[in-house]
């Protein structure tokens, strides 16, 4: 520890972060980016060693804005710019009243907060920052004495494992991490040439940005634009760069026509545009001098005005972050409505169990399922956010997991979210999945988060998140934001069932029941009370399934600890009349007839299972304990083999997202 460090805090040593030390381990992960050439040139200094009077924020808002250095993280810096427009969010990410360098409580550490997979996560760092020749080499503020950006960048690098991990990324991801809100990405290019199949009624994502759509919330939302190739007006930009849209205004020209102007900020902190509205460009001759003077006075260092035609032709896509009210509610960019109701639930795709793939796959129905109840008509936003794939779980030192099967984008699976409206909670899953969904995301996309928007009528909706490839594993978060009252819940986890096989497609139903002493705990067939046991009717309809082996599988699971199990079993009886399973009419059981199939003897075990072949007809399952009056809860799973028609829809795979990065020559 330097003597100067001890003197700064009255003899007490300043904090040094051992989890994110001031050495190459915090700078580089695999030395695969251009900053690898800086090895051996970087020193670490605290702000008081860089300037005389350091502070977190500059008094002048323009001097507090970011200026990119040698790290290709313009995508993150564009998101940081939004924090300066929202004091509440800035205080959330950078908690106020932390002791700074002129405070006797200062100990060389700062705390930041990032939204991660549904929760705000604290990250504490020391204030030693990477420098070259005593000057910050990565991001900084326009004011040489303001350090909030450099410290925030370091905390975000710690969250990812190294500074190098911040090279190339998406503005949308950084915005979500800094706000906990929702973000949508729109293309500024033409609509896709490839037509969608007529049978596929999935909701098509808006392909071109309509700035008029955002007009009601333009002063509150975060907007960023990016280029994937060198724009004609920005010869210096090169490939893959993100910029911030600070504002846009409608102007009336001298001829009486209208022109839409957008003020764009380059995180490099310098102008690199040669359009009609730069400086004394020809565009200003079409606007009255008073308006010209006003708009030009708003331009800070690194900013420039563009008209709408320049904007649409020179940039490839736009990222829009939803406004967030002072109370923390999301505001719709479609209607301006406050979305005051929100829910979130975590889930997981597990190979061989719940990773069913897209609707092209016969195993699609095995994907996780969620119930959404809409209580009254209103606006709804649903998002599916997947966790980034890591090789290990060490906090703040995560390593990306390579996936040879997904070379297009190594960090994410291609994901989509589909929604069906159901008339009642008891329905035929197979028949429903043959119908087009009432809403869905555009296609399976290699993005961290996909968003679905709609106006929904009251009722029940089934949500199914999926990956494009069957067997692709990932954790995810389902989020719902709505203007009216809603509820969201996961379908109950099924009881353990018979091993999955490859002999066709199976439709599985799950039933909850209980044996209650004196009422429904009738015991085995040895007792007259056997018929008091719960009964579960079902039908076998598919005659073609009978000719190819077992077509019915039943598993009974009792909800009791291993040390206190009842002997359990079940019988299957054929009924005297056919019945549609959704109807609640009574069935007649032939009590003097033997069961057509039985899982006996009764066993002291959590689960008993039976596979059999049944002819078309109506049946009832009667589960029981061996002795009467043995109380317990149980779950019954019933799987029937079906020959499902091919879905008249082709799920498509979206293109890999372009990651935004650029190296900027540091200006002294």
């Amino acid at each position: 520890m330097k003597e100067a460090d001890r003197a700064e805090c009255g003899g007490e040593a300043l904090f040094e972060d051992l989890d994110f030390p001031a050495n190459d381990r915090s700078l580089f992960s695999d030395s695969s980016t251009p900053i690898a050439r800086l090895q051996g040139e970087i020193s670490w200094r605290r702000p008081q060693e860089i300037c005389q009077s350091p502070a977190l924020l500059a008094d002048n808002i323009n001097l507090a804005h970011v200026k990119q250095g040698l790290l290709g993280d313009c995508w993150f810096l564009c998101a940081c710019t939004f924090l300066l427009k929202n004091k509440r969010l800035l205080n959330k990410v950078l908690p106020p009243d932390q002791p700074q360098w002129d405070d006797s409580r200062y100990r060389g550490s700062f705390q930041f907060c990032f939204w991660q997979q549904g929760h705000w996560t604290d990250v504490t760092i020391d204030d030693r920052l990477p420098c070259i020749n005593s000057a910050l080499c990565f991001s900084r503020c326009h004011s040489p004495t303001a350090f909030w950006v450099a410290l925030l960048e370091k905390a975000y690098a710690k969250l990812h494992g190294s500074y190098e991990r911040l090279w190339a990324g998406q503005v949308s991801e950084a915005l979500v991490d800094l706000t906990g809100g929702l973000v949508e990405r729109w293309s500024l290019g033409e609509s896709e040439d490839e037509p969608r199949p007529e049978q596929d009624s999935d909701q098509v994502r808006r392909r071109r940005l309509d700035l008029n759509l955002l007009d009601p919330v333009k002063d509150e939302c975060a907007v960023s634009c990016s280029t994937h190739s060198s724009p004609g007006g920005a010869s210096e930009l090169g490939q893959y760069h993100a910029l911030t849209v600070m504002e846009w205004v409608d102007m009336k020209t001298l001829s009486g026509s209208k022109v839409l102007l957008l003020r764009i900020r380059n995180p490099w902190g310098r102008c690199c545009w040669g359009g009609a509205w730069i400086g004394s460009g020809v565009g200003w001759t079409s606007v009255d001098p008073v308006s010209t003077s006003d708009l030009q006075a708003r331009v800070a260092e690194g900013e420039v005005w563009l008209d709408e035609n320049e904007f649409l032709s020179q940039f490839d896509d736009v990222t829009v972050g939803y406004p967030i009210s002072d109370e923390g509610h999301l505001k719709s960019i479609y209607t301006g409505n406050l979305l005051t109701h929100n829910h979130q639930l975590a889930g997981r795709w597990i190979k061989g169990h719940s990773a069913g793939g897209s609707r092209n796959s016969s195993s699609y129905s095995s994907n996780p399922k969620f119930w959404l109840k809409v209580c009254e008509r209103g606006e709804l936003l649903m998002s599916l956010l997947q966790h980034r794939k890591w090789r290990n779980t060490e906090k703040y030192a995560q390593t990306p997991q390579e996936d040879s099967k997904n070379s297009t984008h190594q960090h994410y699976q291609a994901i989509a979210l589909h929604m069906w409206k159901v008339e009642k909670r008891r329905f035929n899953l197979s028949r429903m999945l043959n119908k087009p969904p009432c809403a869905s995301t555009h296609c399976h996309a290699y993005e961290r988060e996909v968003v679905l928007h709609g106006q929904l009528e009251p009722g029940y909706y089934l949500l199914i998140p999926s990956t494009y490839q069957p067997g692709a594993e990932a954790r995810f978060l389902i989020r719902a934001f709505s203007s009216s009252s809603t509820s969201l819940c996961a379908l109950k986890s099924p009881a353990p069932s018979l091993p999955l096989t490859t002999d066709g497609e199976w439709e599985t139903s799950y039933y909850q029941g209980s044996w209650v002493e004196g009422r429904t705990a009738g015991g085995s067939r040895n007792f007259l009370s056997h018929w008091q046991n719960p009964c579960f009717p079902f039908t076998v309809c598919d005659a073609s399934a009978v000719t190819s082996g077992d077509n019915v599988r039943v598993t009974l699971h009792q909800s009791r600890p291993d040390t206190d199990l009842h002997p359990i079993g079940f019988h299957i009886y054929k009924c005297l009349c056919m019945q549609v399973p959704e109807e609640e009419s009574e069935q007649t059981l032939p009590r003097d007839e033997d069961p057509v199939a039985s899982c006996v003897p009764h066993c002291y075990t959590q689960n008993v299972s039976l596979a059999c072949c049944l002819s078309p007809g109506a049946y009832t399952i009667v589960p029981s304990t061996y002795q009467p009056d043995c109380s317990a809860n149980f779950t019954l799973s019933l799987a029937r083999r079906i020959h499902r028609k091919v879905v008249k829809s082709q799920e498509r795979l979206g293109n890999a997202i372009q990651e935004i990065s650029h190296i900027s020559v540091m200006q002294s």
Side-chain angles (χ1 to χ4, degrees):
M1 173 61 64
K2 298 179 180 179
E3 291 301 323
D5 285 350
R6 297 182 185 276
E8 286 290 338
C9 55
E12 184 177 337
L14 295 180
F15 172 66
E16 292 189 358
D17 187 358
L18 299 181
D19 293 328
F20 200 66
N23 57 35
D24 284 358
R25 195 183 88 187
S26 300
L27 291 170
F28 312 109
S29 54
D30 55 13
S31 298
S32 61
T33 69
I35 66 168
R37 62 182 173 83
L38 301 177
Q39 294 190 51
E41 298 183 27
I42 292 179
S43 60
W44 297 77
R45 297 176 181 270
R46 298 187 189 267
Q48 65 269 34
E49 300 174 303
I50 300 173
C51 68
Q52 287 189 347
S53 302
L56 282 175
L57 291 164
D59 294 332
N60 185 325
I61 187 67
N62 287 323
L63 295 180
H65 277 297
V66 302
K67 194 171 185 178
Q68 186 178 354
L70 296 175
L71 186 63
D73 61 349
C74 57
W75 58 281
F76 171 65
L77 302 181
C78 285
C80 292
T81 299
F82 180 60
L83 295 180
L84 294 178
K85 295 175 60 176
N86 191 312
K87 185 69 172 177
R88 187 190 70 84
L89 284 175
L90 180 61
N91 289 340
K92 182 69 177 178
V93 173
L94 175 54
D97 300 326
Q98 298 191 58
Q100 299 185 38
W101 299 272
D102 59 351
D103 191 320
S104 61
R105 298 174 299 151
Y106 165 75
R107 292 295 179 268
S109 66
F110 287 90
Q111 180 181 314
F112 294 87
C113 205
F114 299 99
W115 190 90
Q116 294 283 285
Q117 287 90 40
H119 305 282
W120 287 95
T121 300
D122 292 331
V123 177
T124 299
I125 58 169
D126 63 35
D127 60 356
R128 295 177 294 175
L129 298 169
C131 297
I132 294 179
N133 298 327
S134 301
L136 293 173
C137 60
F138 297 146
S139 300
R140 58 202 184 281
C141 295
H142 282 267
S143 168
T145 62
F147 288 88
W148 77 276
V149 169
L151 292 168
L152 178 62
E153 182 184 57
K154 179 175 182 177
Y156 202 55
K158 179 178 179 179
L159 190 70
H160 283 69
S162 72
Y163 276 91
E164 193 170 41
R165 294 258 176 82
L166 301 188
W167 189 283
Q170 283 297 307
V171 179
S172 56
E173 296 183 19
L175 269 175
V176 172
D177 291 347
L178 293 176
T179 68
L182 274 188
V183 174
E184 290 201 48
R185 296 175 63 243
W186 282 318
S187 169
L188 293 179
E190 296 296 331
S191 299
E192 295 175 321
D193 296 330
E194 181 182 351
R196 296 177 65 84
E198 292 182 4
Q199 297 90 345
D200 187 356
S201 66
D202 291 356
Q203 194 177 65
V204 181
R205 183 175 65 179
R206 185 185 305 273
R207 297 304 300 159
R208 285 183 66 88
L209 173 69
D210 181 2
L211 288 170
N212 293 324
L213 171 73
L214 301 177
D215 198 63
V217 293
K218 67 180 183 179
D219 295 329
E220 305 170 82
C221 61
V223 182
S224 174
C225 54
S226 58
T227 173
H228 301 160
S229 59
S230 179
S235 57
E236 191 185 347
L237 284 183
Q239 290 188 329
Y240 311 123
H241 190 47
L243 301 92
T244 303
V245 180
M246 302 300 292
E247 66 168 325
W248 62 93
V249 294
D250 279 306
M251 298 296 299
K252 185 172 286 189
T253 65
L254 295 174
S255 63
S257 61
K258 287 185 177 181
V259 60
L260 180 65
L261 297 180
L262 301 97
R263 181 161 57 95
I264 310 296
R265 175 182 287 272
N266 182 2
W268 294 351
R270 63 183 186 276
C271 183
C272 56
W273 194 265
W277 301 88
I278 185 172
S280 57
V282 296
W284 297 111
T285 60
S286 64
V287 182
D288 71 83
V290 175
S291 298
T292 296
S293 177
D294 175 52
L295 294 182
Q296 289 183 337
R298 302 185 198 179
V299 175
E301 185 180 359
E303 295 182 353
V304 66
W305 287 100
L306 289 75
D307 62 38
E308 185 177 16
N309 289 333
E310 286 179 319
F311 181 76
L312 293 175
S313 64
Q314 300 300 327
F315 293 98
D316 295 297
D317 59 37
V318 161
T319 298
V320 180
Y322 279 69
I324 300 177
S325 70
D326 291 338
E327 294 75 27
H329 298 309
L330 227 59
K331 182 179 287 190
S332 170
I333 60 175
Y334 295 95
T335 63
N337 292 334
L338 278 177
L339 306 177
T340 54
H341 301 265
N342 63 83
H343 309 276
Q344 64 180 34
L345 287 173
R348 188 176 183 181
W349 293 292
I350 302 173
K351 186 176 181 179
H353 177 66
S354 60
S358 72
R359 294 175 68 218
N360 298 335
S361 170
S362 62
S363 59
Y364 176 76
S365 60
S366 66
N367 281 302
K369 304 170 191 68
F370 296 84
W371 275 121
L372 174 71
K373 181 182 179 182
V374 178
C375 301
E376 54 185 325
R377 190 179 193 277
E379 185 176 6
L380 174 78
L381 282 162
M382 297 292 307
S383 93
L384 171 62
L385 184 149
Q386 62 176 312
H387 292 209
R388 194 180 179 99
K389 292 182 288 184
W390 303 108
R391 182 175 288 132
N392 60 55
T393 57
E394 184 182 351
K395 190 176 183 182
Y396 304 140
Q398 302 153 320
T399 304
Q401 176 183 358
E402 300 296 335
D403 187 350
S404 59
K405 296 182 180 179
N406 182 9
S407 58
T408 311
H409 197 295
Q410 65 174 343
H411 302 312
Y412 298 119
Q413 306 289 355
I415 59 173
L417 181 63
H418 293 75
M419 176 190 294
W420 284 266
K421 191 175 191 304
V422 294
E423 297 305 320
K424 48 188 174 180
R425 294 188 66 170
R426 189 178 181 188
F427 63 93
N428 186 296
L429 180 62
S430 177
R431 286 201 294 266
M432 186 196 70
L433 295 184
N434 278 321
K435 300 176 182 178
C438 66
S440 76
T441 52
H442 176 57
C443 62
H444 282 78
Y446 287 108
E447 297 194 18
R448 186 174 75 166
E449 186 170 26
V450 293
V451 178
L452 179 156
H453 171 263
Q455 297 281 344
L456 296 188
E457 299 295 331
Y460 286 100
Y461 296 82
L462 185 71
L463 297 166
I464 300 184
S466 63
T467 59
Y468 185 74
Q469 292 289 348
E473 294 193 316
R475 296 178 181 272
F476 63 83
L477 185 73
I478 290 276
R479 297 197 285 167
F481 302 88
S482 58
S483 60
S484 60
S485 179
T486 57
S487 62
L488 179 70
C489 64
L491 264 66
K492 292 182 179 179
S493 299
S497 57
L498 294 173
L500 295 175
T501 64
T502 57
D503 56 349
E505 184 175 355
W506 291 74
E507 178 185 60
T508 305
S509 303
Y510 301 95
Y511 306 95
Q512 305 292 325
S514 59
W515 296 294
V516 180
E517 182 179 352
R519 293 176 53 196
T520 59
S524 67
R525 292 182 72 212
N526 296 338
F527 302 92
L528 294 177
S529 58
H530 173 69
W531 301 103
Q532 296 175 6
N533 285 298
C535 299
F536 297 89
F538 70 98
T539 58
V540 175
C541 301
D542 196 344
S544 61
V546 177
T547 61
S548 52
D550 295 336
N551 63 341
V552 173
R553 296 168 176 166
V554 179
T555 296
L556 175 63
H557 169 83
Q558 62 173 313
S559 303
R560 293 180 67 84
D562 289 337
T563 56
D564 191 24
L565 295 173
H566 296 314
I568 58 172
F570 59 84
H571 300 281
I572 302 176
Y573 298 90
K574 189 163 187 179
C575 302
L576 297 180
C577 62
M578 291 289 291
Q579 180 194 3
V580 179
E582 284 81 0
E583 296 177 355
E584 298 293 342
S585 59
E586 287 193 19
Q587 293 193 56
T588 303
L589 292 177
R591 301 190 178 189
D592 54 345
E593 297 288 335
D594 289 333
V596 295
S598 299
C599 183
V600 290
H602 288 67
C603 297
Y604 286 96
T605 182
Q606 291 276 9
N607 310 293
V608 291
S609 299
L610 173 70
C612 58
C613 181
L614 299 180
S615 59
Y619 298 86
T620 290
I621 304 170
V622 180
S624 64
T625 58
Y626 183 75
Q627 292 284 345
D629 294 331
C630 295
S631 296
N633 295 322
F634 63 83
T635 301
L636 191 73
S637 68
L638 167 67
R640 286 166 285 183
R641 187 158 64 176
I642 58 174
H643 291 277
R644 182 161 72 93
K645 296 182 295 183
V646 176
V647 175
K648 295 180 180 179
S649 170
Q650 281 294 314
E651 291 290 338
R652 294 189 295 117
L653 188 61
N655 293 328
I657 56 176
Q658 299 282 7
E659 292 192 337
I660 304 299
S661 75
H662 203 283
I663 187 166
S664 168
V665 179
M666 183 171 64
Q667 301 294 301
S668 59

